[in-house]
Amino acid sequence: KVCLGVVGYKIWTRDTDGETTRNKRKQLPITEKESNRWVEGYQIADGVAQLFPDTLVICVADRECDMYDLFSQADGACSHWNVRAYQNRSLTEKDPDNKASYKKVWDHVSTQPERGTVSFHMSERKGRAERDVTQTVRCARVELKPPLRKFEKMKPVSVNAVMLREQNTPEGEKPVDGL
């Protein structure tokens, strides 16, 4: 396989007039939020995948893109996506230990069988010492519970969740984990 490169990007500047508070932004539809750029980026990737059906197109994004709006748009689309999780989302399945609550994706995936390990050398970075890291890999197909929205009713979305968790973290160091 050959990486063909980037197919789109968007440059933006946040409006600093202070009129829109965080709580007000949370109530807006995705099309009126600055985070809609992630959905637009995925739509570009999916458009490329439709034009070139024999090409594997993957939209890669960091934690800022951990948005249900993207997951619901990507469900059943042509291109693939890989998003680093920011939040421990609820699953559609009730928590057997607390019937008033739902299972959480991190908790569920952490109980799955180990699928293998990944090892790499991590260079020194802010707050972390240079070291060799070995992570266990666990995965599961999960169904995410949609968020409650005043302006729309969303459907559950099935995703593949892959967890990487550091083994034998040195004392005093923060583990290198991710979903």
Side-chain angles (χ1 to χ4, degrees):
K1 303 267 178 188
V2 176
C3 178
L4 300 177
V6 177
V7 296
Y9 66 94
K10 184 172 187 173
I11 298 174
W12 61 274
T13 304
R14 179 173 289 148
D15 182 10
T16 58
D17 65 7
E19 289 181 25
T20 308
T21 66
R22 184 173 188 222
N23 286 337
K24 286 182 182 176
R25 283 194 307 266
K26 285 184 105 175
Q27 299 305 317
L28 294 172
I30 187 66
T31 55
E32 295 178 31
K33 295 179 182 180
E34 66 185 43
S35 55
N36 191 49
R37 69 187 185 280
W38 294 105
V39 175
E40 291 170 348
Y42 180 76
Q43 290 169 341
I44 291 169
D46 196 56
V48 171
Q50 290 175 36
L51 290 172
F52 302 99
D54 294 332
T55 302
L56 176 62
V57 177
I58 303 172
C59 183
V60 179
D62 206 356
R63 295 179 207 188
E64 190 179 349
C65 190
D66 181 356
M67 304 181 319
Y68 203 87
D69 301 88
L70 173 86
F71 305 151
S72 64
Q73 282 212 4
D75 194 29
C78 295
S79 61
H80 300 270
W81 52 270
N82 182 335
V83 174
R84 189 170 164 205
Y86 177 72
Q87 51 190 308
N88 191 9
R89 293 187 176 275
S90 294
L91 303 178
T92 55
E93 188 178 341
K94 290 278 192 178
D95 184 341
D97 299 327
N98 180 0
K99 295 292 184 192
S101 181
Y102 291 88
K103 282 186 174 182
K104 296 290 189 173
V105 67
W106 284 74
D107 299 333
H108 177 71
V109 178
S110 69
T111 65
Q112 301 305 302
E114 185 178 312
R115 299 294 181 146
T117 59
V118 175
S119 297
F120 59 93
H121 183 78
M122 183 177 74
S123 59
E124 182 179 353
R125 49 182 76 169
K126 186 178 174 183
R128 292 186 188 245
E130 177 180 4
R131 67 178 190 262
D132 291 323
V133 175
T134 299
Q135 297 173 311
T136 57
V137 180
R138 300 175 191 279
C139 58
R141 182 87 174 152
V142 296
E143 189 174 68
L144 301 177
K145 182 179 180 299
L148 296 174
R149 299 270 174 85
K150 290 181 181 180
F151 53 87
E152 66 181 317
K153 182 171 172 59
M154 303 181 91
K155 296 178 183 176
V157 174
S158 293
V159 300
N160 293 320
V162 179
M163 176 180 280
L164 300 167
R165 185 159 277 169
E166 185 175 10
Q167 300 175 330
N168 306 315
T169 305
E171 190 173 324
E173 293 289 336
K174 183 179 174 186
V176 180
D177 294 342
L179 183 76

